[in-house]
Amino acid sequence: MSDGEPVVSETDLDWDEYDHGEREFRRKRLGGAAGGEELGTSLYELEPGKRTWPRHYHAGNEEAIYVLGGELTLYLERGADSEGAEVTEHALEPGDYAALPSGSDHAHEVEARGGETARFLVISTMNEPDLSVLVDRDAAMLFAGGAPGNYDDRYISKTVDLDAEVEYWAE
């Protein structure tokens, strides 16, 4: 946290590192460190050919990407919950901004392209509970108690198969 100060330097924060094969990236959670409550911002670094999170959309949160350096490919799938949805590719360069409202028309993922490390900000509303649909896996992540990026306060944090169903009134 920021000890009550609303300003934080990214140089004072450690990287959170993620390594899941082609999904290997570094992240600094700036928003929470500066005391943000309803708006989150993370700084990402992504090596060429690597991706961040699997293609997903949020039911309760809006995200945006702002490219600081390097180049990204934004894979965007509109109507991800319907048959025949197509993925489009958008080349993003420094200074480009992409808005990703909630809902299945904005399923997305990013990959670094070109020859240098991509640096970019991901900005998000911090509403909880939320449902994040992983479109390529027909799965969803359910979380409550902590908004996106706040893992410590969560009392629900489950990834489930979208085909899994139980009777509401079953005992």
Side-chain angles (χ1 to χ4, degrees), residues 80-81 133-140 160-164:
D81 288 339
V133 177
L134 306 171
V135 298
D136 293 331
R137 292 180 48 200
D138 288 328
V160 298
D161 186 325
L162 282 178
D163 292 329

PDB file of all heavy atoms in Angstrom, residues 80-81 133-140 160-164:
ATOM      1  N   ALA A  80     -18.291 -13.766 -28.158  1.00  0.00           N
ATOM      2  CA  ALA A  80     -17.564 -14.989 -27.802  1.00  0.00           C
ATOM      3  C   ALA A  80     -18.483 -16.112 -27.330  1.00  0.00           C
ATOM      4  O   ALA A  80     -18.111 -17.274 -27.393  1.00  0.00           O
ATOM      5  CB  ALA A  80     -16.520 -14.684 -26.731  1.00  0.00           C
ATOM      6  N   ASP A  81     -19.672 -15.769 -26.872  1.00  0.00           N
ATOM      7  CA  ASP A  81     -20.595 -16.800 -26.395  1.00  0.00           C
ATOM      8  C   ASP A  81     -21.479 -17.370 -27.498  1.00  0.00           C
ATOM      9  O   ASP A  81     -22.283 -18.255 -27.256  1.00  0.00           O
ATOM     10  CB  ASP A  81     -21.504 -16.228 -25.291  1.00  0.00           C
ATOM     11  CG  ASP A  81     -20.741 -16.005 -24.008  1.00  0.00           C
ATOM     12  OD1 ASP A  81     -19.685 -16.628 -23.824  1.00  0.00           O
ATOM     13  OD2 ASP A  81     -21.210 -15.197 -23.190  1.00  0.00           O
ATOM     14  N   VAL A 133     -15.000 -14.949 -17.934  1.00  0.00           N
ATOM     15  CA  VAL A 133     -15.222 -16.114 -18.784  1.00  0.00           C
ATOM     16  C   VAL A 133     -13.981 -16.381 -19.630  1.00  0.00           C
ATOM     17  O   VAL A 133     -13.502 -15.493 -20.342  1.00  0.00           O
ATOM     18  CB  VAL A 133     -16.468 -15.936 -19.679  1.00  0.00           C
ATOM     19  CG1 VAL A 133     -16.646 -17.122 -20.612  1.00  0.00           C
ATOM     20  CG2 VAL A 133     -17.712 -15.729 -18.816  1.00  0.00           C
ATOM     21  N   LEU A 134     -13.452 -17.607 -19.522  1.00  0.00           N
ATOM     22  CA  LEU A 134     -12.299 -18.048 -20.308  1.00  0.00           C
ATOM     23  C   LEU A 134     -12.854 -18.735 -21.545  1.00  0.00           C
ATOM     24  O   LEU A 134     -13.210 -19.911 -21.518  1.00  0.00           O
ATOM     25  CB  LEU A 134     -11.434 -19.002 -19.484  1.00  0.00           C
ATOM     26  CG  LEU A 134     -10.979 -18.456 -18.130  1.00  0.00           C
ATOM     27  CD1 LEU A 134     -10.333 -19.532 -17.301  1.00  0.00           C
ATOM     28  CD2 LEU A 134     -10.058 -17.280 -18.327  1.00  0.00           C
ATOM     29  N   VAL A 135     -12.948 -17.998 -22.647  1.00  0.00           N
ATOM     30  CA  VAL A 135     -13.724 -18.452 -23.797  1.00  0.00           C
ATOM     31  C   VAL A 135     -13.155 -19.682 -24.490  1.00  0.00           C
ATOM     32  O   VAL A 135     -13.910 -20.481 -25.030  1.00  0.00           O
ATOM     33  CB  VAL A 135     -13.962 -17.316 -24.807  1.00  0.00           C
ATOM     34  CG1 VAL A 135     -14.775 -16.203 -24.170  1.00  0.00           C
ATOM     35  CG2 VAL A 135     -12.669 -16.762 -25.364  1.00  0.00           C
ATOM     36  N   ASP A 136     -11.851 -19.854 -24.502  1.00  0.00           N
ATOM     37  CA  ASP A 136     -11.261 -21.006 -25.185  1.00  0.00           C
ATOM     38  C   ASP A 136     -11.376 -22.292 -24.373  1.00  0.00           C
ATOM     39  O   ASP A 136     -11.134 -23.373 -24.897  1.00  0.00           O
ATOM     40  CB  ASP A 136      -9.790 -20.742 -25.520  1.00  0.00           C
ATOM     41  CG  ASP A 136      -9.633 -19.641 -26.556  1.00  0.00           C
ATOM     42  OD1 ASP A 136     -10.550 -19.472 -27.376  1.00  0.00           O
ATOM     43  OD2 ASP A 136      -8.605 -18.943 -26.535  1.00  0.00           O
ATOM     44  N   ARG A 137     -11.730 -22.176 -23.112  1.00  0.00           N
ATOM     45  CA  ARG A 137     -11.830 -23.348 -22.232  1.00  0.00           C
ATOM     46  C   ARG A 137     -13.255 -23.646 -21.805  1.00  0.00           C
ATOM     47  O   ARG A 137     -13.489 -24.590 -21.061  1.00  0.00           O
ATOM     48  CB  ARG A 137     -10.979 -23.136 -20.978  1.00  0.00           C
ATOM     49  CG  ARG A 137      -9.498 -23.123 -21.247  1.00  0.00           C
ATOM     50  CD  ARG A 137      -8.680 -22.919 -19.998  1.00  0.00           C
ATOM     51  NE  ARG A 137      -9.091 -23.789 -18.907  1.00  0.00           N
ATOM     52  CZ  ARG A 137      -8.809 -23.552 -17.630  1.00  0.00           C
ATOM     53  NH1 ARG A 137      -8.135 -22.467 -17.292  1.00  0.00           N
ATOM     54  NH2 ARG A 137      -9.202 -24.377 -16.689  1.00  0.00           N
ATOM     55  N   ASP A 138     -14.230 -22.814 -22.218  1.00  0.00           N
ATOM     56  CA  ASP A 138     -15.601 -22.955 -21.726  1.00  0.00           C
ATOM     57  C   ASP A 138     -15.602 -23.052 -20.211  1.00  0.00           C
ATOM     58  O   ASP A 138     -16.212 -23.932 -19.611  1.00  0.00           O
ATOM     59  CB  ASP A 138     -16.303 -24.172 -22.348  1.00  0.00           C
ATOM     60  CG  ASP A 138     -16.637 -23.949 -23.814  1.00  0.00           C
ATOM     61  OD1 ASP A 138     -16.911 -22.792 -24.189  1.00  0.00           O
ATOM     62  OD2 ASP A 138     -16.625 -24.923 -24.587  1.00  0.00           O
ATOM     63  N   ALA A 139     -14.882 -22.134 -19.598  1.00  0.00           N
ATOM     64  CA  ALA A 139     -14.754 -22.093 -18.147  1.00  0.00           C
ATOM     65  C   ALA A 139     -14.943 -20.645 -17.688  1.00  0.00           C
ATOM     66  O   ALA A 139     -14.921 -19.713 -18.496  1.00  0.00           O
ATOM     67  CB  ALA A 139     -13.384 -22.609 -17.718  1.00  0.00           C
ATOM     68  N   ALA A 140     -15.145 -20.500 -16.400  1.00  0.00           N
ATOM     69  CA  ALA A 140     -15.295 -19.163 -15.835  1.00  0.00           C
ATOM     70  C   ALA A 140     -14.623 -19.113 -14.479  1.00  0.00           C
ATOM     71  O   ALA A 140     -14.600 -20.101 -13.748  1.00  0.00           O
ATOM     72  CB  ALA A 140     -16.768 -18.795 -15.694  1.00  0.00           C
ATOM     73  N   VAL A 160     -14.343 -22.698 -12.823  1.00  0.00           N
ATOM     74  CA  VAL A 160     -15.281 -23.801 -12.989  1.00  0.00           C
ATOM     75  C   VAL A 160     -15.605 -24.019 -14.463  1.00  0.00           C
ATOM     76  O   VAL A 160     -15.510 -23.109 -15.278  1.00  0.00           O
ATOM     77  CB  VAL A 160     -16.592 -23.548 -12.208  1.00  0.00           C
ATOM     78  CG1 VAL A 160     -16.319 -23.440 -10.706  1.00  0.00           C
ATOM     79  CG2 VAL A 160     -17.303 -22.304 -12.697  1.00  0.00           C
ATOM     80  N   ASP A 161     -16.006 -25.232 -14.774  1.00  0.00           N
ATOM     81  CA  ASP A 161     -16.460 -25.606 -16.103  1.00  0.00           C
ATOM     82  C   ASP A 161     -17.843 -24.998 -16.327  1.00  0.00           C
ATOM     83  O   ASP A 161     -18.732 -25.149 -15.488  1.00  0.00           O
ATOM     84  CB  ASP A 161     -16.526 -27.140 -16.178  1.00  0.00           C
ATOM     85  CG  ASP A 161     -16.855 -27.656 -17.556  1.00  0.00           C
ATOM     86  OD1 ASP A 161     -17.646 -27.019 -18.284  1.00  0.00           O
ATOM     87  OD2 ASP A 161     -16.325 -28.716 -17.905  1.00  0.00           O
ATOM     88  N   LEU A 162     -18.045 -24.305 -17.449  1.00  0.00           N
ATOM     89  CA  LEU A 162     -19.335 -23.687 -17.704  1.00  0.00           C
ATOM     90  C   LEU A 162     -20.454 -24.706 -17.902  1.00  0.00           C
ATOM     91  O   LEU A 162     -21.630 -24.368 -17.801  1.00  0.00           O
ATOM     92  CB  LEU A 162     -19.258 -22.758 -18.918  1.00  0.00           C
ATOM     93  CG  LEU A 162     -18.622 -21.401 -18.668  1.00  0.00           C
ATOM     94  CD1 LEU A 162     -18.551 -20.601 -19.954  1.00  0.00           C
ATOM     95  CD2 LEU A 162     -19.383 -20.622 -17.615  1.00  0.00           C
ATOM     96  N   ASP A 163     -20.102 -25.956 -18.190  1.00  0.00           N
ATOM     97  CA  ASP A 163     -21.116 -26.991 -18.346  1.00  0.00           C
ATOM     98  C   ASP A 163     -21.519 -27.618 -17.017  1.00  0.00           C
ATOM     99  O   ASP A 163     -22.489 -28.375 -16.949  1.00  0.00           O
ATOM    100  CB  ASP A 163     -20.633 -28.095 -19.287  1.00  0.00           C
ATOM    101  CG  ASP A 163     -20.512 -27.597 -20.717  1.00  0.00           C
ATOM    102  OD1 ASP A 163     -21.291 -26.698 -21.111  1.00  0.00           O
ATOM    103  OD2 ASP A 163     -19.627 -28.097 -21.451  1.00  0.00           O
ATOM    104  N   ALA A 164     -20.780 -27.321 -15.965  1.00  0.00           N
ATOM    105  CA  ALA A 164     -21.101 -27.870 -14.642  1.00  0.00           C
ATOM    106  C   ALA A 164     -22.365 -27.184 -14.127  1.00  0.00           C
ATOM    107  O   ALA A 164     -22.476 -25.964 -14.173  1.00  0.00           O
ATOM    108  CB  ALA A 164     -19.956 -27.649 -13.688  1.00  0.00           C
TER     109      ALA A 164
END
